[in-house]
C-alpha cells in the first residue's frame, strides 16, 4: 500500500489572500478547528476577511474538512468561492456543494410543548377520526361480503359446504356448554336480585316475569353475542391474520381465488346459523336458572313457575331472537376484517385480535341499545 504523503492541512494567511493547504480530513480535525478558531479571533480583532480564497492547494478533502471550510467561510461565501474556483475537481466540488446545501438547511425548530387540555382534545380528535375510518372500512367490507354472497347464491357449485359445517361446529356446537353454564348462573343471579327487591313489596311472584322478560328480550341474545364476540371473533382474526402474515392470502389471490369467498363467507354464514341457536340455548338456561332459585329460595313450585311463564307474550321471544342474526353478521364481519388488516408480525396479530374483540362487543351493545329504543317506540 502506498503511504499517505499528504501534508497536514492548514490555513495560510498571506497578503494576496487566504490559502487553504494540505489534507483537510477527519485525521487533522482538532488542529484545523483550533486554527479556524484562532483565525476568527483575529478577524474579530480588526483583520479583514473580505479577501480572495485559494483552494487549489487542497490535497485531500472529506466531509469533516468540508464542514470546517463551510464553518470558516459561511454558506454564502462558500458558494461564491466555488463559483470562482475552476481548479476544484468535480468530486470535491460535488462534496462541497452537498455539504453547503445541507448546512444551509435550517434546523427544524423545537416544537412547543402542548398544554394537557389541548393534548387531550387532539387525542380525542384522533380517536374519533380513527373510529370514523374504521366504520368506513367496515361498511366497505360488508359490501364485499354481500356482493360475494349474492354471487355464490346464484352458483351452487361454488358453495363450500365442508368449510361451512366445520365453522358451524367450531363457532356453535363447541360453545354450547359455556353459553348454557353462563346464562344459567346469570339467570340465578337475576332471580336472586329480583326476589330481594320485590320481597319488600310482597310481590316475589313477579320474579318469574322478571326472569322471563330479561332473558327472552335481552340477556339471552346479549350474553350469547358477547361470548361469541370474545370466543369466535378473536379466532377469526387470529386465523386470517396468521394467513396474512404467512402470505397465504397472497397465494390465494395468485391462484385466482377470492379470499372473501374462500375465507369470509363460510365464517359469516356459520355464525349467522349458530348465534340464533346459542341465543335459544341461553334463553332456556337462564330461565332454568331462575326457576331453580324460585323453587329453592322462594317456594314457587315448578308447575307454578311454568304456568306464569306461559302467560308471557310470545313476541318477547321473537324480539330477542330477531336480534341474533344482526349481531352475528357484525361480529363475523369485524373479526374477519381485523384479520385482513394484520401487517405481518406476531405483534400485529395480537393487536388486531384484541381490537376485534373490543369492537365486536362495543358494536353488539350499541346495536342492542338502538334495538331496545326502536322496539320501545314501536310498542313491541
Amino acid at each position: 500500500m502506498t503511504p499517505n504523503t499528504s501534508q497536514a492541512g492548514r490555513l495560510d494567511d498571506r497578503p494576496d489572500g487566504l490559502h487553504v493547504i494540505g489534507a483537510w480530513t477527519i485525521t487533522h480535525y482538532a488542529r484545523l478547528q483550533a486554527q479556524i478558531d484562532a483565525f476568527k479571533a483575529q478577524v474579530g480583532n480588526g483583520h479583514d476577511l473580505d479577501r480572495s480564497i485559494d483552494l487549489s492547494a487542497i490535497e485531500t478533502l472529506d466531509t469533516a474538512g468540508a464542514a470546517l471550510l463551510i464553518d470558516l467561510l459561511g454558506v454564502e461565501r462558500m458558494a461564491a468561492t466555488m463559483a470562482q474556483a475552476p481548479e476544484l475537481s468535480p468530486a470535491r466540488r460535488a462534496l462541497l456543494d452537498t455539504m453547503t446545501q445541507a448546512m444551509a438547511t435550517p434546523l427544524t425548530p423545537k416544537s412547543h410543548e402542548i398544554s394537557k387540555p389541548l393534548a387531550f382534545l387532539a387525542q380525542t380528535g384522533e380517536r374519533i377520526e380513527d373510529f370514523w375510518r374504521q366504520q368506513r372500512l367496515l361498511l366497505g367490507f360488508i359490501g364485499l361480503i354481500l356482493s360475494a354472497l349474492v354471487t355464490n347464491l346464484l352458483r351452487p357449485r361454488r358453495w363450500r359446504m365442508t368449510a361451512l359445517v366445520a365453522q358451524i361446529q367450531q363457532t356453535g356446537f363447541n360453545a354450547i356448554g359455556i353459553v348454557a353454564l353462563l346464562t344459567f348462573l346469570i339467570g340465578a343471579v337475576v332471580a336472586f336480585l329480583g326476589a330481594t327487591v320485590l320481597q319488600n313489596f310482597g310481590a316475589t311472584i313477579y320474579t318469574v316475569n322478571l326472569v322471563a322478560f330479561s332473558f327472552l328480550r335481552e340477556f339471552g341474545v346479549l350474553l350469547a353475542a358477547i361470548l361469541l364476540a370474545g370466543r369466535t371473533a378473536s379466532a377469526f382474526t387470529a386465523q386470517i391474520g396468521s394467513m396474512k402474515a404467512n402470505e397465504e392470502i397472497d397465494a390465494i389471490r395468485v391462484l385466482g381465488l377470492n379470499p372473501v369467498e374462500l375465507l369470509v363467507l363460510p365464517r359469516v354464514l356459520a355464525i349467522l346459523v349458530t348465534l340464533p341457536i346459542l341465543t335459544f340455548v341461553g334463553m332456556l338456561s337462564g330461565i332454568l336458572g331462575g326457576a331453580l332459585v324460585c323453587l329453592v329460595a322462594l317456594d314457587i313450585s315448578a308447575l307454578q313457575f311454568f304456568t306464569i311463564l306461559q302467560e308471557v307474550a310470545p313476541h318477547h321471544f321473537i324480539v330477542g331472537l330477531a336480534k341474533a342474526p344482526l349481531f352475528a353478521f357484525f361480529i363475523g364481519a369485524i373479526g374477519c376484517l381485523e384479520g385482513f388488516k394484520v401487517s405481518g408480525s406476531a405483534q400485529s396479530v395480537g393487536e388486531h385480535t384484541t381490537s376485534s374483540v373490543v369492537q365486536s362487543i362495543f358494536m353488539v351493545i350499541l346495536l342492542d341499545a338502538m334495538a331496545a329504543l326502536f322496539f320501545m317506540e314501536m310498542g313491541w
Side-chain angles (χ1 to χ4, degrees):
M1 181 181 291
T2 304
N4 187 4
T5 58
S6 300
Q7 60 176 322
R10 71 178 190 274
L11 283 176
D12 195 354
D13 189 8
R14 303 175 184 175
D16 60 339
L18 185 63
H19 293 256
V20 181
I21 302 171
W24 283 64
T25 60
I26 189 64
T27 306
H28 311 291
Y29 186 88
R31 194 169 58 82
L32 290 171
Q33 183 67 63
Q35 292 184 21
I36 291 173
D37 293 340
F39 181 77
K40 286 183 176 181
Q42 292 179 1
V43 172
N45 291 330
H47 289 74
D48 187 10
L49 185 57
D50 188 12
R51 64 187 75 179
S52 62
I53 307 295
D54 185 5
L55 304 177
S56 60
I58 297 178
E59 297 181 8
T60 55
L61 181 69
D62 61 6
T63 54
L68 286 172
L69 286 175
I70 297 170
D71 181 53
L72 170 66
L73 302 178
V75 173
E76 296 181 359
R77 184 69 185 279
M78 190 72 243
T81 301
M82 285 191 298
Q84 300 172 2
E87 70 276 4
L88 285 175
S89 65
R92 290 178 182 175
R93 186 179 297 276
L95 174 60
L96 288 171
D97 183 61
T98 302
M99 292 295 296
T100 301
Q101 293 179 7
M103 297 182 70
T105 304
L107 296 176
T108 303
K110 186 177 181 180
S111 58
H112 298 288
E113 184 177 356
I114 303 176
S115 62
K116 291 184 179 180
L118 290 179
F120 174 76
L121 291 176
Q123 292 176 0
T124 303
E126 291 177 356
R127 291 171 182 173
I128 293 175
E129 186 177 0
D130 291 341
F131 176 77
W132 172 244
R133 189 182 301 111
Q134 169 64 27
Q135 299 313 306
R136 290 179 59 188
L137 285 174
L138 181 59
L139 288 176
F141 192 68
I142 288 173
L144 289 177
I145 295 174
L146 295 177
S147 175
L149 180 60
V150 172
T151 302
N152 276 265
L153 287 177
L154 301 178
R155 300 176 182 178
R157 292 184 178 180
R158 300 175 70 95
W159 295 357
R160 303 184 180 276
M161 298 305 298
T162 303
L164 177 62
V165 172
Q167 291 297 331
I168 289 175
Q169 179 180 0
Q170 293 177 8
T171 61
F173 296 152
N174 293 345
I176 288 179
I178 185 64
V179 171
L181 176 61
L182 180 66
T183 51
F184 180 85
L185 295 176
I186 296 296
V189 171
V190 170
F192 271 122
L193 292 176
T196 302
V197 174
L198 296 174
Q199 189 175 10
N200 297 327
F201 304 95
T204 53
I205 193 64
Y206 289 103
T207 303
V208 180
N209 301 79
L210 175 63
V211 172
F213 285 136
S214 61
F215 274 89
L216 291 178
R217 292 186 68 98
E218 296 295 336
F219 285 168
V221 62
L222 191 60
L223 292 174
I226 290 175
L227 278 175
L228 212 61
R231 184 182 182 276
T232 304
S234 60
F236 288 174
T237 303
Q239 292 166 1
I240 297 177
S242 298
M243 296 180 68
K244 180 76 177 296
N246 295 330
E247 300 182 354
E248 296 178 38
I249 293 179
D250 295 334
I252 290 173
R253 291 193 177 99
V254 170
L255 292 173
L257 301 174
N258 186 357
V260 175
E261 176 185 334
L262 187 67
L263 302 175
V264 178
L265 277 185
R267 288 172 167 81
V268 173
L269 292 177
I271 199 172
L272 282 172
V273 173
T274 56
L275 186 56
I277 297 174
L278 293 177
T279 299
F280 182 72
V281 171
M283 291 176 179
L284 290 181
S285 299
I287 291 173
L288 288 177
L292 180 62
V293 171
C294 291
L295 179 64
V296 173
L298 303 180
D299 294 330
I300 298 176
S301 65
L303 179 62
Q304 189 177 8
F305 182 92
F306 288 105
T307 301
I308 299 174
L309 186 63
Q310 290 178 357
E311 300 175 359
V312 178
H315 77 270
H316 298 298
F317 169 76
I318 297 174
V319 165
L321 204 60
K323 293 185 285 187
L326 180 63
F327 293 171
F329 184 80
F330 276 93
I331 291 171
I334 291 172
C336 294
L337 174 60
E338 290 299 314
F340 280 105
K341 289 167 63 178
V342 170
S343 62
S345 63
Q347 180 180 359
S348 180
V349 174
E351 291 175 352
H352 287 286
T353 301
T354 303
S355 177
S356 70
V357 174
V358 173
Q359 290 184 46
S360 299
I361 294 176
F362 172 79
M363 189 61 68
V364 164
I365 295 175
L366 178 63
L367 292 174
D368 185 69
M370 295 173 62
L373 292 175
F374 173 77
F375 291 136
M376 182 180 67
E377 291 296 329
M378 296 298 294
W380 295 350

